[in-house]
Amino acid sequence: MLIVESLRYGPCERACPIAGILLHALVGTLSASFAVGCVERSKGPSPAARAQLRQLVSRNAPQPERPLDVVFENKIALLGYDMTPSEAKAGKLIKLTWYWRADQELEAGWAQFTHVADTTDQTRLNADRTGPIRRLYPPSRWKPGQYITDAQELTIPKEWNHTHARFYLGFWNGPHRLHVSKGDTDGEHRALVLSLPVQPATPAKASTGLPDLSALRTSHKPTIDGKLDEKGWHEAVPSARFVHTVSGNRSQIGATVRMLYDDSALYVAFDVSDTYLFAPLDKHDDHLWKHDTVEIMLDPDGDGRDYFEIQVSPAGTVFDTRYDSPRQPKPFGHVQWSSRAEAAVGLRGRLDDETSDQGYTVEIALPWASLGEKGPPSIAGTHGRRWRANFFVMDRQRGDTQLATGWSPPLVGDFHVPNRFGYVAFAPDP
């Protein structure tokens, strides 16, 4: 997007005066022809375009089927939208009509954007220039009191493998964007106005069985150093190899997880094979999922609510948050929550260079108190209380390709599927 796009509006106003003078001085005939071109463009929209705009720009307030209340710096408001059909399917056309109200004039150069992202917030479609309003009547021409009907048609890609499509709308001018003063935002001045369920073009085929994993009580408290050489880790049985998160088939990423616990903490260890270690982020709660990272999801009571997410990158950076329900609150849950995780990584290679690597291990200690527990889950009979949990690995490949693998495949392109979490049983002393 950005700089190149900004030149698409008003080329005559910015380019013609200077270009005309220079060309007149050098080549008179070219100057004359260039000037004619600008005069012709200055006439504005054609009669057909003007007639179309009269249908799309009004002083009468619209009545959207699906009202919204999104405000951009008190200059423009999004009042709602209409959509047909009412359900979206990968590979099929959908029609969206956004209803805007202009409250203040904008400077020259402002334009709209529409980004369609998957559930990892990776933009998959750019519809900035889709629709008659985008082509004929940019926001820099909107007048206070006008209502603008902004119709767009787009097709969700047939290969879409996520449960939802997220629609981010906003306004940009070169490197600048209008801030979202009211409404959901991703923190990058994009308003999240619609999270649309998407039916896959072809249903995923995979087993629906959920895996089990034992967390063993240990009397040998692990030293959190990234090395899995303590006695407790030798006794803990690793999980089955992780699988493709959507198909449930064998993954090209080799990864396993194992668990221990004692009176003070829950311990989780990952072992990941990776030939390209890339983890440039070094601040707590950075968006680690964009690069290499391991991820834990824990739902202690298994009700799909109040669950935790903890990520640790090969650089030892931690991201942690808590959700009230799947992906709520948006955009990233209660990020202020702290897992108080102690984490360390053992590298089999070197970070962020082009040399070939072998992988890494991650060792994590999570205090019970941070998980809402006064102590370890009580033991009942020969098996302890069972939690719902899931584990994932994100793998950034050379060339910016991102792969994912998981312990219990959610079977859709979203990790936040609590009913697909596996089971962790807290077993007695080994």
Side-chain angles (χ1 to χ4, degrees):
M1 195 172 82
L2 304 189
I3 303 299
V4 175
E5 288 282 353
S6 69
L7 299 179
R8 294 180 180 178
Y9 288 109
C12 284
E13 292 84 345
R14 279 190 283 271
C16 276
I18 297 175
I21 293 170
L22 293 176
L23 289 174
H24 179 76
L26 296 173
V27 186
T29 56
L30 290 178
S31 173
S33 64
F34 198 87
V36 169
C38 281
V39 169
E40 290 175 350
R41 296 191 98 176
S42 67
K43 292 179 181 179
S46 67
R50 287 197 294 270
Q52 188 176 20
L53 284 176
R54 281 194 290 271
Q55 302 297 318
L56 301 177
V57 181
S58 172
R59 292 284 177 176
N60 299 319
Q63 299 294 325
E65 294 176 1
R66 308 181 189 205
L68 295 171
D69 187 12
V70 182
V71 180
F72 296 85
E73 295 187 12
N74 296 320
K75 297 179 179 179
I76 295 175
L78 178 60
L79 306 179
Y81 66 96
D82 300 339
M83 186 181 79
T84 55
S86 58
E87 296 181 348
K89 185 174 182 179
K92 300 296 184 181
L93 181 75
I94 58 172
K95 298 180 180 181
L96 289 156
T97 302
W98 313 104
Y99 295 98
W100 305 94
R101 185 187 67 230
D103 295 325
Q104 297 183 37
E105 289 192 21
L106 299 179
E107 302 86 354
W110 283 97
Q112 295 164 267
F113 65 79
T114 299
H115 298 166
V116 184
D118 58 29
T119 51
T120 68
D121 271 339
Q122 179 179 352
T123 299
R124 303 279 293 274
L125 288 175
N126 184 308
D128 295 1
R129 300 277 290 172
T130 301
I133 283 294
R134 309 297 178 101
R135 296 190 301 269
L136 301 173
Y137 199 58
S140 54
R141 295 177 56 192
W142 297 2
K143 304 301 181 186
Q146 287 182 340
Y147 295 93
I148 293 90
T149 301
D150 178 21
Q152 295 194 291
E153 295 184 358
L154 52 90
T155 300
I156 303 295
K158 188 174 182 179
E159 64 276 10
W160 192 271
N161 57 353
H162 290 248
T163 57
H164 290 70
R166 297 177 179 175
F167 285 75
Y168 289 99
L169 271 62
F171 300 84
W172 61 278
N173 187 351
H176 306 292
R177 290 176 175 172
L178 290 185
H179 294 194
V180 181
S181 50
K182 187 176 184 181
D184 290 336
T185 177
D186 67 343
E188 298 179 1
H189 313 311
R190 302 190 307 172
L192 176 60
V193 300
L194 171 61
S195 183
L196 179 64
V198 178
Q199 300 177 17
T202 56
K205 296 180 180 179
S207 169
T208 58
L210 299 175
D212 286 272
L213 184 65
S214 290
L216 296 185
R217 174 182 280 275
T218 182
S219 56
H220 304 278
K221 182 175 182 177
T223 301
I224 306 302
D225 55 7
K227 301 176 183 178
L228 308 184
D229 53 4
E230 291 96 348
K231 182 178 180 181
W233 289 126
H234 293 164
E235 294 170 340
V237 178
S239 70
R241 178 181 167 125
F242 287 14
V243 297
H244 192 280
T245 58
V246 176
S247 69
N249 297 326
R250 180 180 173 86
S251 171
Q252 68 184 76
I253 306 168
T256 60
V257 67
R258 64 189 86 174
M259 301 179 75
L260 296 170
Y261 73 100
D262 61 16
D263 288 340
S264 61
L266 174 65
Y267 305 99
V268 184
F270 290 82
D271 191 345
V272 182
S273 297
D274 190 345
T275 59
Y276 177 55
L277 298 176
F278 189 70
L281 303 178
D282 59 3
K283 295 182 177 60
H284 187 86
D285 284 341
D286 271 346
H287 295 177
L288 306 183
W289 57 88
K290 296 180 179 180
H291 308 296
D292 289 350
T293 193
V294 301
E295 179 173 329
I296 303 168
M297 288 193 174
L298 296 173
D299 183 7
D301 57 12
D303 66 352
R305 302 181 61 83
D306 297 315
Y307 65 92
F308 308 100
E309 177 183 351
I310 303 101
Q311 298 182 21
V312 180
S313 78
T317 309
V318 175
F319 169 90
D320 48 16
T321 187
R322 183 185 65 79
Y323 290 91
D324 297 335
S325 59
R327 292 199 176 278
Q328 297 294 332
K330 296 181 181 297
F332 307 117
H334 297 284
V335 182
Q336 70 275 14
W337 172 79
S338 175
S339 65
R340 290 184 277 169
E342 182 183 358
V345 179
L347 298 177
R348 300 191 295 274
R350 293 190 302 180
L351 285 176
D352 308 335
D353 65 13
E354 294 303 317
T355 59
S356 182
D357 304 306
Q358 293 181 312
Y360 60 102
T361 55
V362 182
E363 196 173 12
I364 307 165
L366 299 170
W368 292 116
S370 67
L371 303 175
E373 302 283 326
K374 296 180 180 179
S378 60
I379 301 301
T382 57
H383 294 284
R385 174 182 161 197
R386 300 209 305 172
W387 283 15
R388 300 296 294 274
N390 216 341
F391 308 94
F392 299 96
V393 173
M394 298 298 296
D395 184 14
R396 172 75 171 272
Q397 304 275 293
R398 288 180 173 85
D400 292 344
T401 301
Q402 189 85 341
L403 299 180
T405 189
W407 176 56
S408 180
L411 305 180
V412 293
D414 189 357
F415 295 172
H416 293 254
V417 187
N419 64 3
R420 291 292 306 165
F421 287 8
Y423 294 92
V424 171
F426 291 86
D429 297 2

